Amino acid sequence: MFGVLCFVLVLTSTGFCYSKDRSESTSQPQLGCKLEGLQPLLIVTYKNLTTSVREITVPHGEKVTVRCREIGKYKIFGDTVLKCRNAVWSGKPPSCIATTAISNYTEDVPPTILFGLPAGSATFEPSGSLAVFPGSILHLECLFARRLGNPEWTWTSNFRQYLTGWAISQIERDWKYRLSIYYAKTQDSGIYTCTTPRGLTNSIKVHVVDVHCPQLKKPEPPLIAKIEGPRLGEAATFECPHGYRLEGASSITCQYNGKWSANMPRCEAIICPPIQPMNPKLLLLEHNNTYSGRAIFACMWGHKLIGPKKIKCTRNNTWSGPVPKCLEITCPTPETPINGELMDNQQQQWSRRKDQTHRVGSLVRFSCLTGHQLVGPASAICTENGTWSHQPPICDVRCPYPGDPIHGRIAPLKFWYKSGDTIQVSCSPGYVTPLEPVRKPTCQENGQWSDPPPPCRSYRDV
Ligand SMILES: *[C@@H]1O[C@H](CO)[C@@H](O)[C@H](O)[C@H]1NC(C)=O
Ligand SMILES: *[C@@H]1O[C@H](CO)[C@@H](O)[C@H](O)[C@H]1NC(C)=O
Ligand SMILES: *[C@@H]1O[C@H](CO)[C@@H](O)[C@H](O)[C@H]1NC(C)=O
Ligand SMILES: *[C@@H]1O[C@H](CO)[C@@H](O)[C@H](O)[C@H]1NC(C)=O
Ligand SMILES: *[C@@H]1O[C@H](CO)[C@@H](O)[C@H](O)[C@H]1NC(C)=O
């Protein structure tokens, strides 16, 4: 039942399709129209709302206004107003084609038309007409390479003659062919056309109209406003002082329809969400949640900060970084010395309780197996760096003090003896060691004495 009708514009090679319901029974409801495959260079106004869309559906009886996005730099072909009548669009499909400013001043495209406003104000209408406030001075610039000849300006209004000719300034004189409208009046409204020597044309529709937008109300502090005025094409710009964020448009313009392009914005004080540390180990040293205020963190003793130490409150009402975490600092279980043992503070052997963590401040003790001397510190403390205060000691092989014999003394007297050390026994008066050659006890490699200390015997017994 549905037929599709396509127009293809060779110049731009873009397709443009209409869907149509061919059943023309009057009892059927009237159908809406769909506009699709629109060139991105086109913008559509429907119900006073201008949007850039690739596709739009409109009910029967409604119309849309279409124009090129960059008026003057693109020339529109086709109709600018399309009306929907029972699934069929009236009018020729629109399309935008490039002009000289886009083509680098080639001769085969229509000329670009730009406008300048040394005085007064103007704005575009949805149809692409230039709405100009009465009294404005308007320069229409036809862009064309002067070396290729002179273009020509023509106009539809027969109100007066206009000054035309090449611009005078050095930088403009070779490419701007100008028409000037001084102190525009309603009667200057009309179509202004620039024609190149080859006969290619581009036009701009000028609509001189006295449109005022409602007087803007006095901006409420702290909003700072710079208001040009309430006339067509005039703008108002807004800003907020430090510590506030602008909510809304920073600039609004008085539109062709007497409405401001947006409402007046507001200033919102920038406040970041207050920080409530969930972790009791996290300390808030500073907490200022106004704009560019800081939050500074620390952790309780024995914990380290994971994340930023300092964050700032930014324009978005968001903190510059995440709230950090506190992680308990622990030390790895130290190496057990060879021929030694690792004990905790309660003198229990460590190796049997491997799962236990060593927090900051916890103590380990080292001891050596019998026959060994502990060389180095006998204990170490877990420090805040997560490292031990001391390296584990070494357990050196040593012979212990063998004990004095009865009625005698050992010399030299030490707690520990190195391997190869010998000892002598000196007996109390009246006592002697055996006279037979006796080997001096020597400390051996295995930490044991070669012989026991010789006994001291009484003279009488010898
Ligand atoms: C435009 O044309 C001029 C002269 O023909 C040439 O020198 C220049 O490179 C061109 N620029 C670009 C961007 O094509
Ligand atoms: C669009 O604007 C015109 C001119 O201001 C106005 O007359 C018309 O009612 C408006 N239409 C809609 C649908 O708002
Ligand atoms: C919070 O920070 C802002 C910005 O740095 C500063 O101006 C303000 O005085 C601070 N407020 C307090 C209570 O410290
Ligand atoms: C503000 O927030 C938006 C999203 O909410 C984000 O994309 C942007 O990066 C933020 N800007 C700053 C300055 O934090
Ligand atoms: C441990 O931290 C202290 C400061 O807290 C520092 O002076 C020292 O160099 C650190 N030691 C190691 C081994 O990282």
Side-chain angles (χ1 to χ4, degrees):
M1 287 307 272
F2 286 87
V4 177
L5 218 57
C6 287
F7 294 84
V8 176
L9 282 158
V10 178
L11 272 171
T12 57
S13 46
T14 48
F16 181 80
C17 304
Y18 295 133
S19 304
K20 182 189 174 190
D21 185 349
R22 292 255 175 78
S23 67
E24 306 221 319
S25 154
T26 44
S27 63
Q28 296 268 322
Q30 305 271 282
L31 297 166
C33 307
K34 194 173 179 184
L35 198 55
E36 48 190 342
L38 279 176
Q39 238 184 352
L41 293 167
L42 287 166
I43 51 179
V44 177
T45 304
Y46 174 52
K47 283 192 188 286
N48 290 353
L49 211 76
T50 302
T51 51
S52 49
V53 289
R54 305 299 305 276
E55 189 179 305
I56 186 167
T57 306
V58 165
H60 166 81
E62 300 277 354
K63 55 185 184 195
V64 294
T65 310
V66 186
R67 70 168 173 89
C68 295
R69 191 184 299 275
E70 293 185 79
I71 292 167
K73 287 196 183 174
Y74 287 89
K75 178 179 174 176
I76 194 155
F77 273 86
D79 284 318
T80 55
V81 178
L82 303 171
K83 193 168 178 189
C84 174
R85 254 192 256 109
N86 195 19
V88 184
W89 290 102
S90 70
K92 279 210 203 79
S95 155
C96 302
I97 69 158
T99 62
T100 45
I102 307 288
S103 79
N104 193 16
Y105 298 90
T106 55
E107 272 186 286
D108 55 351
V109 293
T112 300
I113 298 177
L114 301 181
F115 76 92
L117 271 174
S121 58
T123 186
F124 283 109
E125 293 180 0
S127 63
S129 297
L130 183 64
V132 178
F133 194 80
S136 301
I137 297 174
L138 177 67
H139 291 321
L140 296 178
E141 320 275 12
C142 180
L143 305 193
F144 190 71
R146 190 171 186 169
R147 62 190 161 78
L148 301 175
N150 290 350
E152 189 192 2
W153 277 108
T154 51
W155 49 89
T156 53
S157 133
N158 44 26
F159 172 55
R160 53 172 156 166
Q161 288 298 307
Y162 301 97
L163 218 58
T164 64
W166 290 102
I168 292 169
S169 84
Q170 188 70 43
I171 51 160
E172 300 176 317
R173 54 184 299 169
D174 289 329
W175 51 289
K176 274 192 180 173
Y177 195 75
R178 176 175 291 171
L179 177 148
S180 299
I181 303 174
Y182 284 94
Y183 313 110
K185 293 199 168 48
T186 324
Q187 301 94 308
D188 290 312
S189 297
I191 298 168
Y192 292 79
T193 303
C194 180
T195 309
T196 67
R198 281 210 185 176
L200 290 158
T201 65
N202 196 5
S203 301
I204 189 161
K205 201 165 158 192
V206 172
H207 185 196
V208 182
V209 60
D210 186 352
V211 170
H212 281 82
C213 284
Q215 204 54 255
L216 288 172
K217 60 180 192 301
K218 209 167 161 277
E220 264 179 54
L223 183 67
I224 303 159
K226 231 184 271 161
I227 304 172
E228 277 176 16
R231 294 167 174 177
L232 171 83
E234 285 183 328
T237 53
F238 304 95
E239 50 183 46
C240 292
H242 188 83
Y244 291 86
R245 189 185 57 243
L246 194 73
E247 282 290 335
S250 61
S251 162
I252 63 174
T253 338
C254 176
Q255 294 175 302
Y256 68 97
N257 56 5
K259 285 183 184 152
W260 290 99
S261 56
N263 289 330
M264 273 233 280
R266 284 173 299 127
C267 289
E268 291 277 343
I270 296 168
I271 302 267
C272 283
I275 294 167
Q276 281 146 347
M278 305 300 279
N279 183 341
K281 304 291 184 204
L282 183 65
L283 308 173
L284 258 175
L285 302 185
E286 194 176 316
H287 183 232
N288 176 350
N289 63 338
T290 62
Y291 178 54
S292 85
R294 303 182 300 180
I296 299 177
F297 304 95
C299 288
M300 301 252 274
W301 190 79
H303 292 74
K304 67 175 168 223
L305 204 65
I306 306 291
K309 185 175 167 20
K310 205 191 278 181
I311 56 178
K312 266 181 114 178
C313 178
T314 68
R315 315 201 113 264
N316 265 1
N317 291 353
T318 54
W319 292 100
S320 61
V323 175
K325 292 186 167 57
C326 289
L327 199 74
E328 185 168 43
I329 300 164
T330 57
C331 291
T333 300
E335 296 270 332
T336 304
I338 297 165
N339 295 315
E341 278 179 343
L342 201 59
M343 324 279 252
D344 69 8
N345 209 13
Q346 277 80 47
Q347 301 288 331
Q348 281 185 289
Q349 203 174 337
W350 193 267
S351 53
R352 290 191 211 110
R353 304 165 56 215
K354 267 191 178 124
D355 54 324
Q356 196 171 327
T357 56
H358 309 270
R359 300 192 165 141
V360 175
S362 67
L363 184 89
V364 287
R365 291 180 192 281
F366 304 100
S367 65
C368 291
L369 303 177
T370 43
H372 295 80
Q373 184 195 6
L374 191 132
V375 180
S379 63
I381 290 179
C382 177
T383 69
E384 281 204 77
N385 303 11
T387 55
W388 292 100
S389 59
H390 301 96
Q391 292 288 320
I394 292 165
C395 290
D396 263 357
V397 177
R398 292 287 190 266
C399 292
Y401 160 68
D404 289 335
I406 305 168
H407 310 301
R409 286 220 171 142
I410 279 172
L413 180 63
K414 294 193 212 167
F415 280 116
W416 298 99
Y417 300 83
K418 287 187 192 151
S419 105
D421 281 0
T422 56
I423 46 169
Q424 286 179 328
V425 170
S426 53
C427 298
S428 314
Y431 291 88
V432 288
T433 51
L435 290 176
E436 316 86 81
V438 168
R439 284 195 298 164
K440 284 182 184 169
T442 307
C443 179
Q444 301 179 123
E445 291 284 342
N446 62 1
Q448 301 206 337
W449 292 104
S450 59
D451 301 278
C456 289
R457 295 211 185 105
S458 164
Y459 282 120
R460 274 160 279 171
D461 301 341
V462 176

